[in-house]
Amino acid sequence: MSAERPTLPPVRLHTEAELARDALAAPLLARAVRLARWAGPETRVGAGGELVEEQLPAAAEHLGLTADEDGAAEASEAWRLAVDAGLVDIEDPEEAAGEGAEGTAAAGENLALITGGSPQDVLSIWLDGLEAVHADATAPVFDDLADLVGEDGSVDFEALDWDPEVEAEFLDGVLGNLYLLTVGDGGADTAPVPLPALAASMIVPDDMGEPTDDVLEQVSEAMMRLDDQFRVLEPIGIVEYRPVDETLLVEAGEDAAPQADDEDITRYGMVKLTPLGLYGIRARMLEAGVDAPVIGDLADKGADALLGGIAYYPETVARSEVELWLTRRGADGAAAELLAAARGADQQAPLRRLHCQQALALVGAEAEPAVRAVLDDPELGGLARVWLAELGAADVPAPPESMIFWLTIDTIAAQLESEGELEELQSLVEGLAGQHSGFFDEAWRVEHPATADVLEAMGRLHSDKKKAKEARKAAFKARSRTGA
């Protein structure tokens, strides 16, 4: 029943129905769907499935776009997505038709799923579109592709000074950092992130105090790169993006990063993952083998998996997970199952007991019979008494002194394992130690696996030098007693 610290905090996702509606509302996918329905026998495409140039004005007009280069470019982008997402099927010309022959287009199999499929079908189509847009966002910008294509048809990437894997890895890293910032509180609504901060998170070393001019220049270059990439990503619905103010764009060679005295950081770009973006980035992470938990993953698991899984979750997230588990499990028998899962002498056992006590509070008074049944249990008896007292129950037996000391060690061990705030931990240590006169004279005898470690930590954390010294002596005695 040991727990491992998750690589990422769990995310709170919208329902698949809500996400599917968001996907259909994404401007780029919506345009792709409209073009797929517009396509017919007269639609002409090139060798790569792209709309021929002569048809772009008609496609742009159908989408209500401007009749200029920008409108044609947006129509072309939407058509490419329709092809990549399977909304349109391309029929290549026969070889006998000769060079320059044009292909045709027809409705693809996925087009019917847009209105007749399940939310999962819609999201699957959207994910295909996201993959294509992600590739577009990391593609290089060049003036003449013909100069870069060799005789065998391959692109000379060295001449571009561009590595597709490096570019994709950089963008994925940025999106990963944005995801981490967003899910820090379970995916709750978060403020947009300044683009300079996001760029710096990929460039500036963690141990660097004042960034050097060279590092600042790299941050500036990364900002402008990300500005282009987020402009490409926004229409698929993955982010809300406020681009860099074009009046801030400077001549080549000057520093484009914001100055320290520039108060309006929003002018340098602001970005925020949408709920659909959280879903999409998580899907990409899972495909890459990254552990990216979601709130509700533990709802159909046993109590042991629940308490182990939420061991290192933030408090609000852990509560949400327990509430979902209780909804699926039902209150009947839940208390006994939680208490059984809280037993153990492993390193995470104190945390399981802490979360068990918090979960029992959500069960309510129905848990009382199961809690009273463990009053004499050496591991759970103290927890049971605290819970019954908080409930306001009558006839709660007073704990023996040995149980009080054991519960104190267990409580501090849980907080140490969870790596909570230092000030809160220090306050807890001093408060618990101060409740019992001669605490350290007796604490080293407590039969708890974490006794020596807890006393050692109390020696580091206690602000009273005399008490800290007593704690360190007690820790030494505890280790000597156990032979550690």
Side-chain angles (χ1 to χ4, degrees):
M1 288 190 289
S2 63
E4 294 183 358
R5 295 178 185 272
T7 305
L8 295 166
V11 61
R12 190 187 308 274
L13 292 179
H14 286 193
T15 66
E16 288 187 335
E18 292 171 322
L19 292 169
R21 285 195 293 271
D22 289 345
L24 293 174
L28 186 54
L29 182 59
R31 289 174 182 171
V33 170
R34 291 178 63 188
L35 284 187
R37 290 171 177 158
W38 165 81
E42 302 302 318
T43 306
R44 294 178 293 136
V45 299
E50 74 284 359
L51 278 176
V52 296
E53 189 172 347
E54 294 78 10
Q55 291 216 288
L56 287 176
E61 182 181 2
H62 180 74
L63 295 175
L65 300 171
T66 55
D68 54 19
E69 289 186 1
D70 289 341
E74 290 181 49
S76 177
E77 183 182 19
W79 179 262
R80 289 200 309 274
L81 185 74
V83 174
D84 291 333
L87 301 174
V88 171
D89 283 340
I90 301 300
E91 185 69 32
D92 293 325
E94 296 182 3
E95 292 185 11
E99 187 176 349
E102 296 169 343
T104 58
E109 182 180 351
N110 284 347
L111 183 58
L113 296 177
I114 290 293
T115 53
S118 65
Q120 295 95 322
D121 292 328
V122 172
L123 290 172
S124 178
I125 293 169
W126 180 82
L127 284 172
D128 288 340
L130 173 60
E131 191 68 27
V133 173
H134 183 282
D136 286 344
T138 57
V141 178
F142 37 72
D143 297 323
D144 193 349
L145 178 61
D147 294 340
L148 302 171
V149 179
E151 294 181 0
D152 60 353
S154 63
V155 177
D156 185 358
F157 291 127
E158 291 186 4
L160 280 173
D161 191 23
W162 175 76
D163 186 324
E165 292 185 4
V166 170
E167 290 294 326
E169 184 178 335
F170 178 82
L171 181 55
D172 284 336
V174 169
L175 292 174
N177 285 350
L178 191 55
Y179 180 94
L180 184 58
L181 289 169
T182 306
V183 303
D185 193 26
D189 191 31
T190 53
V193 179
L195 196 61
L198 202 54
S201 72
M202 296 295 294
I203 304 295
V204 182
D206 292 336
D207 57 354
M208 176 174 282
E210 188 71 22
T212 63
D213 289 343
D214 179 60
V215 168
L216 288 175
E217 184 177 349
Q218 293 179 51
V219 171
S220 177
E221 291 174 355
M223 274 177 51
M224 304 320 299
R225 198 158 104 208
L226 289 173
D227 181 57
D228 290 335
Q229 291 174 332
F230 282 129
R231 289 172 191 258
V232 174
L233 290 170
E234 185 179 30
I236 198 64
I238 190 175
V239 292
E240 294 175 8
Y241 184 54
R242 174 174 174 173
V244 174
D245 187 340
E246 293 188 1
T247 62
L248 293 174
L249 299 180
V250 295
E251 295 179 4
E254 293 187 19
D255 184 9
Q259 302 301 313
D261 59 350
D262 196 322
E263 296 180 358
D264 190 5
I265 193 70
T266 63
R267 298 179 66 200
Y268 292 89
M270 302 290 288
V271 63
K272 174 182 177 180
L273 275 183
T274 64
L276 185 62
L278 281 171
Y279 168 83
I281 299 305
R282 177 176 180 268
R284 288 177 58 82
M285 287 179 170
L286 292 176
E287 189 174 341
V290 177
D291 179 22
V294 63
I295 296 175
D297 275 347
L298 305 173
D300 58 352
K301 302 293 197 321
D304 54 347
L306 173 71
L307 296 182
I310 66 174
Y312 304 105
Y313 283 8
E315 185 177 346
T316 56
V317 176
R319 181 185 179 92
S320 296
E321 192 70 67
V322 171
E323 288 173 341
L324 289 171
W325 185 83
L326 288 172
T327 299
R328 184 76 63 89
R329 173 68 175 76
D332 184 33
E337 190 176 345
L338 287 165
L339 287 163
R343 290 189 174 93
D346 55 279
Q347 185 176 342
Q348 287 81 24
L351 259 184
R352 288 201 305 277
R353 285 186 280 273
L354 174 63
H355 284 297
C356 173
Q357 182 176 336
Q358 294 168 344
L360 289 173
L362 297 176
V363 177
E366 294 179 48
E368 185 172 352
V371 173
R372 286 190 177 275
V374 299
L375 282 170
D376 294 329
D377 188 291
E379 292 181 352
L380 303 177
L383 174 158
R385 285 167 170 78
V386 171
W387 186 87
L388 288 169
E390 291 176 346
L391 184 68
D395 302 323
V396 180
E401 188 176 68
S402 60
M403 184 174 286
I404 294 174
F405 280 101
W406 195 95
L407 180 61
T408 300
I409 295 295
D410 199 60
T411 300
I412 297 175
Q415 296 299 329
L416 289 171
E417 182 64 19
S418 68
E419 297 182 351
E421 292 291 334
L422 181 61
E423 289 184 3
E424 293 181 7
L425 189 56
Q426 187 176 32
S427 177
L428 174 67
V429 164
E430 294 178 357
L432 290 175
Q435 288 177 10
H436 314 288
S437 59
F439 176 83
F440 296 112
D441 292 334
E442 299 295 332
W444 65 272
R445 296 185 173 90
V446 174
E447 297 287 344
H448 190 293
T451 296
D453 291 335
V454 166
L455 291 172
E456 205 168 74
M458 293 179 82
R460 293 194 305 271
L461 293 168
H462 209 297
S463 60
D464 186 311
K465 291 184 178 181
K466 182 180 179 182
K467 294 291 185 183
K469 185 175 181 180
E470 291 176 7
R472 291 192 293 271
K473 285 184 177 180
F476 178 79
K477 288 181 180 180
R479 294 200 188 281
S480 300
R481 180 178 61 83
T482 60

